Amino acid sequence: MDGNGRWARTRGLLRMRGYEEGAGALRRITTRCRELGVSEATFFALSTENYQRRPSAEIRFLMKLLKTYLIRERPMLMENGIRLTTIGDISALPADVQETLEETRSLSADNDQMVMRLALNYGSRQEILTAVRRICQEVKEGRIDPERLNEITEDSFAAYLGDPQMKDPDLVIRTAGEYRLSNFLLWQSSYSELWITNELWPDFDVEHLEQAVEDFVSRDRKYGAVLDGVSRENSPGSGGI
Ligand code: FPP
């Protein structure tokens, strides 16, 4: 969700206004994803680097906004059957934000129409490193046989990542014209299609999402094969963004 700061700056407003507007875009895009039949949508709300390096007043504001957002959007989640979940190191967030997250997560736990996943204090390299450490720990404690390490597969490895239920995203959308993944879902997006737009996140609206999805469905996904496209039924991915 990049470009909130730039959106505010071009209007002579404080960055915080950009984040408020960004939270509105998050609601619009989530609701439209649900209508379009997207099964999972993961939003990069705060990177580990953002959390550590942004001024503390900005982080405090973002935490307050997140808490307000989580409470305000509960009816939207429940009406649309959306289950909220997170990836990232939540334990570093303020206690009241963790509590609100937990309440929203358990309130929406039985919803089965779509998953809305917020990446908070998230970094993909850290996520992969944590997975490797967990596997090493299991070897150390005798739950994985050190003689059978070649039985660790891509699928079994993915179960050690932040959300074991997460499916690989079909499409990754980046706003504000940045041509980088910036430590987002590096493992999971190996075969994802990319859509980069110059729209700043607060301006990213349902018609931009629809444009990205329309373009996506017209693409041939080969997953390294030489065939002219692979049937969607047999392809990895999940209908996720
Ligand atoms: C990075 O771009 C974006 C963020 C650090 C935060 C994104 C957060 C929101 C959109 C708020 C809504 C979400 C929740 C869950 C409350 P930037 O805004 O720093 O952009 P810039 O590169 O233009 O400065």
Side-chain angles (χ1 to χ4, degrees), residues 1-9 15-16 18-26 43-47 50-51 54 58-59 61-70 72 116 118-120 174-176 178 180 200-202:
M1 296 188 280
D2 216 359
N4 307 280
R6 274 163 278 180
W7 183 93
R9 199 169 53 239
R15 293 179 66 80
M16 319 295 174
Y19 292 135
E20 282 173 346
E21 210 58 30
L26 181 56
F43 298 92
F44 205 174
L46 197 65
S47 72
N50 292 154
Y51 197 65
R54 299 260 164 147
E58 186 172 324
I59 295 298
F61 180 85
L62 275 168
M63 290 297 105
K64 210 170 140 213
L65 182 64
L66 173 60
K67 188 173 167 182
T68 312
Y69 180 88
L70 289 168
R72 195 183 59 208
M116 176 192 200
L118 295 178
L120 293 164
R174 174 125 200 197
T175 55
E178 306 291 357
R180 307 184 279 279
L200 305 175
W201 174 253

